[in-house]
Amino acid sequence: MAHDKGLENVAVHWPRTNQYYDPVAPAEFVDFGAIADAPEIAAPTGALALHIAKTGTVRATAYTELVDLLLGLDGVLYATDAAAEDEDPVIDPDGCAWIAGGLERFVEGHEKFGDLVTFDTVAEVMRTAITQGRLAEQQLRWLENRLSALRDDAGNAPHWSFARSELAILGGFYRRCADRGFAVFADY
């Protein structure tokens, strides 16, 4: 019986130089460890920052639905577009910048709702962002359909509970990869 470890996003050197991608040394993320030591930091934020600092990876399973909703695609952190094309499941540096940008905009937009990110606050942040853009009516319908699809058969919302600072760290991981020209390998 195989043990499913879930999805991990592993920072790797881009482009690959041989048959396999070479992981990035965790030293490239060592400064994330200082965030984990800050006394006012939320426990999940500290745990994520410390894991990134020690391994150069993100345990991404918990974030997949949220990131897919925020970016409007399915399987973003799984790199499914690449996998569907018979390529390695890798998010290139430009894709990392796109993910980071989406998370950064969300974290900024969520500031007025406080540090606790829930399904309801995500929906409000997204509604606010959409009403300020073009084609607001069409995009609001799309959003409501996506939100409904995430509810279970009884109509209950997902039990998301993230610290806003945790999502800032998540975005920081992808921003670091983009800025330094790293890719992210989806390992599951």
Side-chain angles (χ1 to χ4, degrees), residues 1 6-7 9 21 26 30 35 39 46 53-54 64 77 82-83 97 107-108 122 125 134 159 165 173 184 187:
M1 175 184 236
L7 173 65
N9 277 188
Y21 290 91
V30 72
I35 297 164
K54 288 182 175 181
T64 58
L77 300 182
V107 166
E108 182 181 317
V122 169
V125 169
R134 294 182 12 218
H159 296 289
S165 55
F173 171 79
V184 170
D187 185 20

Coordinates of all heavy atoms in Angstrom, one line a residue, residues 1 6-7 9 21 26 30 35 39 46 53-54 64 77 82-83 97 107-108 122 125 134 159 165 173 184 187:
M1 N 0.8 -1.2 0.0 CA 0.0 0.0 0.0 C 0.9 1.2 0.0 O 1.8 1.4 0.8 CB -0.9 0.0 1.2 CG -1.7 1.2 1.4 SD -2.7 1.1 2.9 CE -4.3 1.3 2.3
G6 N 0.6 13.5 0.1 CA -0.1 14.7 -0.3 C 0.8 15.4 -1.3 O 1.8 14.9 -1.8
L7 N 0.4 16.6 -1.6 CA 1.1 17.4 -2.6 C 2.2 18.3 -1.9 O 2.0 19.0 -0.9 CB 0.2 18.4 -3.3 CG 0.8 19.4 -4.2 CD1 1.4 18.7 -5.4 CD2 -0.3 20.4 -4.7
N9 N 5.2 21.1 -3.0 CA 5.7 22.0 -4.1 C 7.2 22.2 -3.7 O 7.5 22.8 -2.7 CB 5.0 23.3 -4.2 CG 3.8 23.2 -5.0 OD1 3.1 24.3 -5.3 ND2 3.3 22.1 -5.4
Y21 N 15.1 17.2 -12.2 CA 15.3 18.5 -11.7 C 16.1 18.5 -10.4 O 15.9 17.6 -9.5 CB 13.9 19.2 -11.3 CG 13.1 19.5 -12.6 CD1 12.2 18.6 -13.1 CD2 13.3 20.7 -13.3 CE1 11.5 18.8 -14.3 CE2 12.6 21.0 -14.4 CZ 11.7 20.0 -14.9 OH 11.0 20.3 -16.0
P26 N 18.0 24.4 0.7 CA 17.2 25.1 1.6 C 17.8 26.4 2.1 O 17.1 27.3 2.5 CB 17.0 24.1 2.8 CG 17.2 22.8 2.2 CD 18.2 23.0 1.1
V30 N 16.5 30.2 3.9 CA 16.9 30.2 5.4 C 16.3 31.4 6.1 O 15.9 31.3 7.3 CB 18.4 30.1 5.6 CG1 19.1 31.4 5.2 CG2 18.7 29.7 7.0
I35 N 11.1 34.4 10.5 CA 9.7 34.7 10.6 C 9.1 33.7 11.6 O 8.3 34.2 12.4 CB 9.0 34.6 9.2 CG1 9.6 35.6 8.2 CG2 7.5 34.7 9.3 CD1 9.3 35.3 6.8
P39 N 7.7 36.5 17.8 CA 6.8 36.2 18.9 C 5.3 36.4 18.5 O 4.4 35.7 19.0 CB 7.2 37.1 20.1 CG 8.0 38.2 19.5 CD 8.6 37.6 18.2
G46 N 4.1 30.3 11.4 CA 5.5 29.9 11.9 C 5.8 28.5 11.4 O 7.0 28.3 11.0
A53 N 12.0 27.1 5.4 CA 13.4 27.4 5.7 C 14.2 26.1 5.8 O 15.4 26.1 5.3 CB 13.5 28.1 7.0
K54 N 13.7 25.0 6.3 CA 14.4 23.8 6.4 C 14.5 22.9 5.2 O 15.4 22.2 5.0 CB 13.8 23.0 7.6 CG 14.0 23.5 9.0 CD 13.4 22.6 10.0 CE 13.7 23.1 11.4 NZ 13.2 22.2 12.4
T64 N -4.6 24.0 -2.0 CA -5.0 23.8 -3.4 C -6.3 24.4 -3.8 O -6.5 25.1 -4.8 CB -4.9 22.3 -3.8 OG1 -5.8 21.6 -3.0 CG2 -3.5 21.8 -3.7
L77 N -1.5 24.3 -8.2 CA -0.3 23.9 -7.5 C 0.1 22.5 -7.8 O 1.2 22.0 -7.5 CB -0.6 24.0 -5.9 CG -0.9 25.4 -5.4 CD1 -1.1 25.4 -3.9 CD2 0.2 26.4 -5.9
A82 N 0.8 21.4 -17.2 CA 2.0 20.8 -17.7 C 1.9 19.2 -17.8 O 2.3 18.6 -18.8 CB 3.2 21.1 -16.9
A83 N 1.3 18.7 -16.8 CA 1.1 17.2 -16.8 C 0.2 16.7 -17.9 O 0.4 15.7 -18.5 CB 0.6 16.8 -15.4
A97 N 5.6 33.6 -10.4 CA 5.3 35.0 -10.3 C 3.8 35.2 -10.3 O 3.3 36.0 -9.6 CB 6.0 35.8 -11.4
V107 N -4.0 38.8 -0.1 CA -3.6 39.1 1.2 C -3.8 40.6 1.5 O -4.3 41.0 2.5 CB -2.1 38.7 1.5 CG1 -1.5 39.4 2.7 CG2 -1.9 37.2 1.5
E108 N -3.5 41.4 0.5 CA -3.7 42.9 0.6 C -5.2 43.2 0.7 O -5.6 44.0 1.6 CB -3.1 43.6 -0.5 CG -3.2 45.1 -0.5 CD -2.6 45.8 -1.7 OE1 -1.5 45.4 -2.1 OE2 -3.2 46.7 -2.2
V122 N -13.0 35.0 2.1 CA -12.4 34.8 0.8 C -13.5 35.3 -0.3 O -13.2 36.0 -1.2 CB -12.0 33.4 0.5 CG1 -11.7 33.2 -1.0 CG2 -10.8 33.0 1.3
V125 N -13.8 39.1 -0.2 CA -12.6 39.8 -0.9 C -12.7 39.6 -2.4 O -12.5 40.6 -3.1 CB -11.3 39.2 -0.4 CG1 -10.1 39.6 -1.2 CG2 -11.1 39.5 1.1
R134 N -13.8 45.1 -14.9 CA -14.6 45.0 -16.1 C -15.4 43.7 -16.1 O -15.0 42.8 -15.4 CB -13.8 45.0 -17.3 CG -13.1 46.3 -17.6 CD -12.2 46.3 -18.9 NE -12.5 45.2 -19.7 CZ -11.6 44.6 -20.4 NH1 -10.4 44.9 -20.4 NH2 -12.0 43.6 -21.2
H159 N -14.2 24.1 5.4 CA -13.8 24.6 6.7 C -12.4 25.2 6.6 O -11.5 24.8 7.4 CB -13.8 23.5 7.7 CG -15.2 22.9 8.0 ND1 -16.2 23.6 8.6 CD2 -15.8 21.8 7.6 CE1 -17.3 22.9 8.6 NE2 -17.1 21.8 8.0
S165 N -1.4 36.0 7.5 CA 0.1 36.0 7.4 C 0.6 34.6 6.8 O 1.7 34.6 6.2 CB 0.7 36.2 8.8 OG 0.2 35.3 9.8
F173 N 7.0 32.3 -0.8 CA 7.7 31.2 -1.3 C 7.7 31.2 -2.8 O 8.8 31.1 -3.5 CB 7.1 29.9 -0.8 CG 7.6 28.6 -1.5 CD1 8.9 28.1 -1.1 CD2 6.9 28.0 -2.5 CE1 9.4 26.9 -1.7 CE2 7.4 26.8 -3.1 CZ 8.6 26.3 -2.7
V184 N 9.0 25.3 -9.6 CA 8.5 24.5 -8.5 C 8.0 23.2 -9.1 O 7.2 23.2 -10.1 CB 7.3 25.2 -7.8 CG1 6.5 24.3 -6.9 CG2 7.8 26.4 -7.1
D187 N 5.3 17.5 -6.5 CA 5.6 16.1 -6.1 C 4.4 15.5 -5.2 O 4.1 16.1 -4.2 CB 6.9 16.1 -5.3 CG 7.4 14.7 -4.9 OD1 6.9 13.7 -5.6 OD2 8.2 14.6 -4.0

